[in-house]
Amino acid sequence: MVNIATLVKLSLNLNLLKIESDGRVNTADTQLAISEYDKNAIEEAIRIKEKHGGKIVCVSALTWGPVNKKISDAERILREVLALGVDEAHFIIDDVLDNCTPLETSLALASLIRKLGNFDLFIAGESSMDISNSQIPARIASILDIPFVTYVRKVEISGNNLILQREMPNGIETVEVPMPAVISVTGEINQPRLPTLRQILQSKNKPLMKYTLKDLGINLNAKLMKQRIEIRPVVRKNIIYEGGNLEEIAQKLVDNLIQEGVIKA
Amino acid sequence: MKRNILVFSEDPRVINEAVYIANILKGNEGKIFGVSKLTEDNDVLSNFDEIHFAKENLIPEQWAKFLIKFYKENEIQYLVSPHTVNNNDIIAYVSAKYNLPMISNATSIKDNDATLIFSRQVLGGRGISYIEVEKSLKLSVTVPIKVYPRIKLDKQSLIKEITEIEKTKITSKGFEEIKKSGFNIENADVVVGIGRGFKSKEDIKLAQDLAEVLNGVIGCSRPIAADYGWLPNDLWIGISSKIIRPKLYIAVGISGAPQHVSGIMDSKIIVAINKDKNATIFKYADYGVVADLYQFLPIFTRKIKENLKK
Ligand SMILES: Cc1cc2nc3c(=O)[nH]c(=O)nc-3n(C[C@H](O)[C@H](O)[C@H](O)COP(=O)(O)OP(=O)(O)OC[C@H]3O[C@@H](n4cnc5c(N)ncnc54)[C@H](O)[C@@H]3O)c2cc1C
């Protein structure tokens, strides 16, 4: 039996960003989506459960507010997570966490985790798709004082030990670590499945619990540093050739590139 | 103001990438401490007031535990590190112990009198986040490699060996190096990017031929390296790998996901070849051709050859 907590980020939906005329991203009015590689974290948890048994819990903190605008979106996403095969979802909602940093997120998540009891394994995605700090796994491990291994592309369980392959820029590292431990997985570790209709129906009866910071008995000051997000301006010529004779298009393109001075005639 | 800075890098070959930032942050009389693996490189040895070396490879957790002690003993204000997978993890672990906020992969820093303004790429590279902090705040920051100038401070370093190594429950079971392409796509003038529009590994030849006539090299999107393993990881372009700034980037069969595009944004000219006229990559292109790459690439390569001969 392996009891697993998956760490899931309710990310900004990158396909539905609300952008103001001055280029600023309006996070309050942007919808949420599950962070891409957290799907891989959930899938890996399900595979471990299928093989070894145990329970899978999803923990999350809503870090994009205001809560009243985001809550139904967050619940919808967490229902989808439950439909995938997660047994329970627990999440923290508090306006203090709006646009906070991984410091506050990890403190909030760690207190939720402690409240929920003991886990053998914590699984996160390698990086969130919106903010990409990749700090949460190491921070959670530090707070809970347990080992961490990131960018895992293969998990094997042997007794109480995990045998993990890490994807590093220059190669593959194999490490062994006893549980409990925190790991993050790459986007390539597995192919996340889609839920069946039956699972979607069942998900409605699974526990989906909300907590404020007060419920968790913690007090956070998330005002230390706030970020302002702007869209990077793209200034490109956008000369697009479509239809017609490919020989002619190729010649035009070559002429363009010679004129730009990026290829030499 | 005295601000002590701790510069850490597991790999000593990149530690100097963070010294520029450290020097800005340190104020008038702060000290710059270095922690890394043993090196004989004099450019490294002369950049710190004190440098502490480990002789052997340490597990990230072991580095982190050493830094946790070091941080306290030396009254550190800022922890700075070149952004690599392990460095970022290690600094995050230490930051958690002291409740420090941390800015990962800060691409710029601006001194704004009482505050510092950092910026970093977000939203898969489509956005920039600006973070303003009081100078009195203790914090950590990792900085991308090859973005800040490499400087020489000509200090007389005090060199010490790390002798007390913390225990860890993690054991390393081996490292299998993956083969490298042998190309340096970060320095190439022309890069031809290969995406999932290519149907098989053999077809990459079409892009190779194009790169060859342009005296360039090939690169690729993440799935080509990480999913299919058709090309080595050092050719993978984007936010989770290499950032390139060639004179000419030609994206072939690449859809233009923000995480890929963020790795090519600073190219001088971008050309896109894609059969889908609605592909996002065209928004980022100076020149685009809506066509099947299998038809267009051979013609394009031949045309370049003909024009070069003239
Ligand atoms: C946290 C995170 C980090 C990531 N990091 C990176 C990264 O560093 N680098 C990266 O590249 N990706 C990264 N990704 C993945 C990224 O989101 C995309 O999935 C990936 O870039 C898509 O690769 P692609 O464009 O090759 O494939 P696709 O998106 O599948 O696009 C293939 C394109 O080929 C075109 N095509 C198909 N057949 C033909 C033909 N015959 N002729 C011409 N065109 C054709 C199609 O129209 C399509 O536009 C990351 C994702 C996340 C969530």
Side-chain angles (χ1 to χ4, degrees), chain A residues 100-137:
Chain A
C100 69
T101 79
L103 165 64
E104 296 84 29
T105 313
S106 57
L107 287 170
L109 286 174
S111 17
L112 175 57
I113 288 165
R114 284 199 176 114
K115 189 181 173 86
L116 295 175
N118 291 324
F119 295 96
D120 305 305
L121 180 58
F122 299 87
I123 313 183
E126 62 172 71
S127 183
S128 69
M129 69 176 177
D130 53 1
I131 300 302
S132 310
N133 276 304
S134 296
Q135 293 177 21
I136 298 293

Short mmCIF file of all heavy atoms in Angstrom, two decimals, chain A residues 100-137:
data_model
loop_
_atom_site.label_atom_id
_atom_site.label_comp_id
_atom_site.label_asym_id
_atom_site.label_seq_id
_atom_site.Cartn_x
_atom_site.Cartn_y
_atom_site.Cartn_z
N CYS A 100 0.31 34.95 -4.91
CA CYS A 100 1.39 34.83 -3.92
C CYS A 100 2.58 34.12 -4.53
O CYS A 100 2.57 33.72 -5.69
CB CYS A 100 0.89 34.11 -2.68
SG CYS A 100 0.54 32.36 -2.96
N THR A 101 3.63 33.96 -3.76
CA THR A 101 4.84 33.30 -4.28
C THR A 101 4.90 31.87 -3.74
O THR A 101 4.16 31.51 -2.83
CB THR A 101 6.11 34.06 -3.84
OG1 THR A 101 6.40 33.70 -2.48
CG2 THR A 101 5.95 35.57 -3.94
N PRO A 102 5.81 31.06 -4.28
CA PRO A 102 5.91 29.67 -3.81
C PRO A 102 6.19 29.56 -2.32
O PRO A 102 5.89 28.54 -1.71
CB PRO A 102 7.08 29.10 -4.62
CG PRO A 102 7.13 29.94 -5.85
CD PRO A 102 6.70 31.31 -5.44
N LEU A 103 6.74 30.61 -1.72
CA LEU A 103 6.96 30.59 -0.27
C LEU A 103 5.64 30.38 0.46
O LEU A 103 5.51 29.47 1.29
CB LEU A 103 7.62 31.91 0.18
CG LEU A 103 7.60 32.23 1.67
CD1 LEU A 103 8.40 31.21 2.46
CD2 LEU A 103 8.15 33.63 1.93
N GLU A 104 4.65 31.21 0.14
CA GLU A 104 3.36 31.10 0.84
C GLU A 104 2.61 29.84 0.40
O GLU A 104 1.99 29.17 1.23
CB GLU A 104 2.49 32.33 0.56
CG GLU A 104 3.07 33.64 1.08
CD GLU A 104 4.07 34.28 0.13
OE1 GLU A 104 3.94 34.06 -1.10
OE2 GLU A 104 5.00 34.98 0.59
N THR A 105 2.67 29.54 -0.91
CA THR A 105 1.97 28.34 -1.40
C THR A 105 2.45 27.11 -0.67
O THR A 105 1.66 26.27 -0.23
CB THR A 105 2.21 28.14 -2.91
OG1 THR A 105 2.00 29.38 -3.58
CG2 THR A 105 1.29 27.09 -3.48
N SER A 106 3.77 26.99 -0.52
CA SER A 106 4.30 25.76 0.09
C SER A 106 3.97 25.70 1.58
O SER A 106 3.70 24.62 2.10
CB SER A 106 5.81 25.65 -0.15
OG SER A 106 6.46 26.79 0.35
N LEU A 107 3.97 26.85 2.25
CA LEU A 107 3.60 26.84 3.67
C LEU A 107 2.14 26.42 3.84
O LEU A 107 1.80 25.63 4.72
CB LEU A 107 3.82 28.23 4.29
CG LEU A 107 5.28 28.62 4.51
CD1 LEU A 107 5.39 30.10 4.89
CD2 LEU A 107 5.95 27.74 5.56
N ALA A 108 1.28 26.94 2.97
CA ALA A 108 -0.14 26.59 3.05
C ALA A 108 -0.33 25.10 2.74
O ALA A 108 -1.01 24.38 3.48
CB ALA A 108 -0.94 27.45 2.07
N LEU A 109 0.30 24.62 1.66
CA LEU A 109 0.16 23.21 1.29
C LEU A 109 0.69 22.29 2.38
O LEU A 109 0.07 21.26 2.70
CB LEU A 109 0.89 22.92 -0.02
CG LEU A 109 0.24 23.45 -1.30
CD1 LEU A 109 1.16 23.22 -2.50
CD2 LEU A 109 -1.11 22.78 -1.57
N ALA A 110 1.81 22.68 2.97
CA ALA A 110 2.40 21.82 4.00
C ALA A 110 1.47 21.71 5.22
O ALA A 110 1.34 20.63 5.80
CB ALA A 110 3.77 22.33 4.42
N SER A 111 0.80 22.81 5.57
CA SER A 111 -0.09 22.67 6.73
C SER A 111 -1.32 21.85 6.37
O SER A 111 -1.82 21.10 7.22
CB SER A 111 -0.51 24.02 7.33
OG SER A 111 -0.28 25.05 6.50
N LEU A 112 -1.79 21.95 5.16
CA LEU A 112 -2.90 21.09 4.74
C LEU A 112 -2.47 19.62 4.78
O LEU A 112 -3.20 18.75 5.29
CB LEU A 112 -3.36 21.49 3.33
CG LEU A 112 -4.44 20.62 2.69
CD1 LEU A 112 -5.70 20.54 3.55
CD2 LEU A 112 -4.80 21.13 1.29
N ILE A 113 -1.29 19.35 4.26
CA ILE A 113 -0.78 17.97 4.23
C ILE A 113 -0.68 17.41 5.65
O ILE A 113 -1.10 16.28 5.92
CB ILE A 113 0.61 17.94 3.54
CG1 ILE A 113 0.44 18.17 2.03
CG2 ILE A 113 1.34 16.63 3.81
CD1 ILE A 113 1.71 18.52 1.29
N ARG A 114 -0.17 18.22 6.56
CA ARG A 114 -0.03 17.76 7.95
C ARG A 114 -1.39 17.45 8.56
O ARG A 114 -1.56 16.49 9.30
CB ARG A 114 0.67 18.82 8.79
CG ARG A 114 2.15 18.86 8.52
CD ARG A 114 2.88 19.56 9.66
NE ARG A 114 4.31 19.52 9.45
CZ ARG A 114 5.06 20.61 9.21
NH1 ARG A 114 4.51 21.80 9.17
NH2 ARG A 114 6.35 20.48 9.04
N LYS A 115 -2.37 18.27 8.21
CA LYS A 115 -3.72 18.06 8.74
C LYS A 115 -4.31 16.75 8.23
O LYS A 115 -5.06 16.08 8.94
CB LYS A 115 -4.58 19.25 8.31
CG LYS A 115 -5.95 19.31 8.96
CD LYS A 115 -6.72 20.51 8.42
CE LYS A 115 -8.14 20.52 8.92
NZ LYS A 115 -8.26 21.16 10.23
N LEU A 116 -3.96 16.41 6.96
CA LEU A 116 -4.57 15.23 6.34
C LEU A 116 -3.95 13.92 6.82
O LEU A 116 -4.52 12.86 6.59
CB LEU A 116 -4.48 15.32 4.82
CG LEU A 116 -5.29 16.47 4.19
CD1 LEU A 116 -5.02 16.54 2.69
CD2 LEU A 116 -6.77 16.30 4.46
N GLY A 117 -2.79 13.99 7.43
CA GLY A 117 -2.21 12.76 7.96
C GLY A 117 -0.94 12.34 7.27
O GLY A 117 -0.22 13.18 6.72
N ASN A 118 -0.68 11.04 7.26
CA ASN A 118 0.61 10.57 6.74
C ASN A 118 0.52 10.07 5.31
O ASN A 118 -0.38 9.34 4.96
CB ASN A 118 1.13 9.44 7.63
CG ASN A 118 1.51 9.96 8.99
OD1 ASN A 118 2.02 11.08 9.12
ND2 ASN A 118 1.23 9.17 10.02
N PHE A 119 1.48 10.48 4.52
CA PHE A 119 1.58 10.00 3.15
C PHE A 119 2.95 9.36 2.93
O PHE A 119 3.92 9.74 3.56
CB PHE A 119 1.40 11.15 2.16
CG PHE A 119 0.03 11.76 2.21
CD1 PHE A 119 -0.21 12.90 2.97
CD2 PHE A 119 -1.03 11.18 1.51
CE1 PHE A 119 -1.48 13.46 3.03
CE2 PHE A 119 -2.31 11.73 1.57
CZ PHE A 119 -2.54 12.87 2.33
N ASP A 120 3.00 8.41 2.01
CA ASP A 120 4.28 7.77 1.69
C ASP A 120 4.99 8.50 0.57
O ASP A 120 6.20 8.49 0.47
CB ASP A 120 4.03 6.32 1.24
CG ASP A 120 3.24 5.54 2.28
OD1 ASP A 120 3.71 5.51 3.43
OD2 ASP A 120 2.16 5.01 1.95
N LEU A 121 4.17 9.10 -0.28
CA LEU A 121 4.76 9.67 -1.49
C LEU A 121 3.99 10.92 -1.90
O LEU A 121 2.76 10.94 -1.87
CB LEU A 121 4.68 8.60 -2.60
CG LEU A 121 5.24 8.93 -3.97
CD1 LEU A 121 6.72 9.31 -3.90
CD2 LEU A 121 5.07 7.71 -4.90
N PHE A 122 4.75 11.95 -2.29
CA PHE A 122 4.17 13.18 -2.80
C PHE A 122 4.61 13.31 -4.25
O PHE A 122 5.79 13.21 -4.54
CB PHE A 122 4.66 14.39 -2.00
CG PHE A 122 4.28 14.32 -0.56
CD1 PHE A 122 5.09 13.65 0.36
CD2 PHE A 122 3.10 14.89 -0.11
CE1 PHE A 122 4.73 13.57 1.69
CE2 PHE A 122 2.73 14.80 1.22
CZ PHE A 122 3.54 14.14 2.13
N ILE A 123 3.66 13.53 -5.15
CA ILE A 123 4.03 13.64 -6.56
C ILE A 123 3.54 14.97 -7.13
O ILE A 123 2.37 15.32 -7.02
CB ILE A 123 3.45 12.49 -7.42
CG1 ILE A 123 3.68 11.13 -6.75
CG2 ILE A 123 4.06 12.50 -8.81
CD1 ILE A 123 3.18 9.94 -7.57
N ALA A 124 4.46 15.70 -7.75
CA ALA A 124 4.13 16.96 -8.42
C ALA A 124 4.59 16.88 -9.87
O ALA A 124 5.32 15.96 -10.24
CB ALA A 124 4.84 18.11 -7.71
N GLY A 125 4.18 17.84 -10.68
CA GLY A 125 4.69 17.94 -12.05
C GLY A 125 6.02 18.70 -12.02
O GLY A 125 6.31 19.42 -11.07
N GLU A 126 6.82 18.57 -13.07
CA GLU A 126 8.17 19.17 -13.07
C GLU A 126 8.14 20.69 -12.90
O GLU A 126 9.06 21.29 -12.36
CB GLU A 126 8.94 18.81 -14.35
CG GLU A 126 8.27 19.33 -15.63
CD GLU A 126 9.11 19.14 -16.89
OE1 GLU A 126 9.25 18.00 -17.35
OE2 GLU A 126 9.60 20.13 -17.44
N SER A 127 7.08 21.32 -13.40
CA SER A 127 7.03 22.77 -13.40
C SER A 127 5.60 23.18 -13.71
O SER A 127 4.91 22.48 -14.44
CB SER A 127 7.98 23.26 -14.51
OG SER A 127 8.03 24.64 -14.54
N SER A 128 5.15 24.31 -13.16
CA SER A 128 3.80 24.73 -13.51
C SER A 128 3.84 25.42 -14.86
O SER A 128 4.85 26.01 -15.23
CB SER A 128 3.25 25.69 -12.46
OG SER A 128 3.96 26.92 -12.51
N MET A 129 2.73 25.34 -15.60
CA MET A 129 2.79 25.89 -16.96
C MET A 129 2.63 27.41 -16.98
O MET A 129 3.02 28.04 -17.94
CB MET A 129 1.76 25.23 -17.87
CG MET A 129 0.32 25.54 -17.56
SD MET A 129 -0.74 24.76 -18.80
CE MET A 129 -2.36 25.20 -18.16
N ASP A 130 2.12 28.01 -15.91
CA ASP A 130 1.96 29.47 -15.96
C ASP A 130 3.17 30.22 -15.38
O ASP A 130 3.71 31.11 -16.02
CB ASP A 130 0.64 29.92 -15.29
CG ASP A 130 0.46 29.39 -13.87
OD1 ASP A 130 1.35 28.68 -13.37
OD2 ASP A 130 -0.59 29.70 -13.26
N ILE A 131 3.61 29.85 -14.20
CA ILE A 131 4.67 30.62 -13.55
C ILE A 131 6.02 29.92 -13.53
O ILE A 131 7.07 30.57 -13.47
CB ILE A 131 4.20 31.07 -12.13
CG1 ILE A 131 2.94 31.93 -12.26
CG2 ILE A 131 5.27 31.84 -11.40
CD1 ILE A 131 3.08 33.19 -13.12
N SER A 132 6.03 28.59 -13.62
CA SER A 132 7.27 27.83 -13.84
C SER A 132 8.42 28.15 -12.89
O SER A 132 9.55 28.33 -13.33
CB SER A 132 7.77 28.03 -15.28
OG SER A 132 6.76 27.81 -16.20
N ASN A 133 8.15 28.24 -11.61
CA ASN A 133 9.24 28.43 -10.66
C ASN A 133 9.93 27.12 -10.29
O ASN A 133 11.09 27.12 -9.91
CB ASN A 133 8.71 29.06 -9.37
CG ASN A 133 8.60 30.56 -9.45
OD1 ASN A 133 9.58 31.23 -9.75
ND2 ASN A 133 7.43 31.08 -9.20
N SER A 134 9.20 26.01 -10.39
CA SER A 134 9.73 24.70 -9.99
C SER A 134 10.33 24.72 -8.58
O SER A 134 11.39 24.17 -8.34
CB SER A 134 10.79 24.21 -10.98
OG SER A 134 10.23 24.00 -12.23
N GLN A 135 9.65 25.36 -7.65
CA GLN A 135 10.16 25.41 -6.28
C GLN A 135 9.39 24.53 -5.31
O GLN A 135 9.91 24.15 -4.26
CB GLN A 135 10.09 26.85 -5.74
CG GLN A 135 11.02 27.82 -6.43
CD GLN A 135 10.84 29.24 -5.90
OE1 GLN A 135 10.34 29.45 -4.80
NE2 GLN A 135 11.24 30.22 -6.69
N ILE A 136 8.12 24.25 -5.62
CA ILE A 136 7.25 23.61 -4.65
C ILE A 136 7.76 22.24 -4.16
O ILE A 136 7.78 22.00 -2.95
CB ILE A 136 5.79 23.51 -5.19
CG1 ILE A 136 5.22 24.92 -5.44
CG2 ILE A 136 4.90 22.71 -4.24
CD1 ILE A 136 4.99 25.76 -4.19
N PRO A 137 8.19 21.33 -5.05
CA PRO A 137 8.63 20.03 -4.53
C PRO A 137 9.75 20.15 -3.49
O PRO A 137 9.65 19.57 -2.40
CB PRO A 137 9.10 19.29 -5.78
CG PRO A 137 8.35 19.94 -6.90
CD PRO A 137 8.21 21.37 -6.52
#
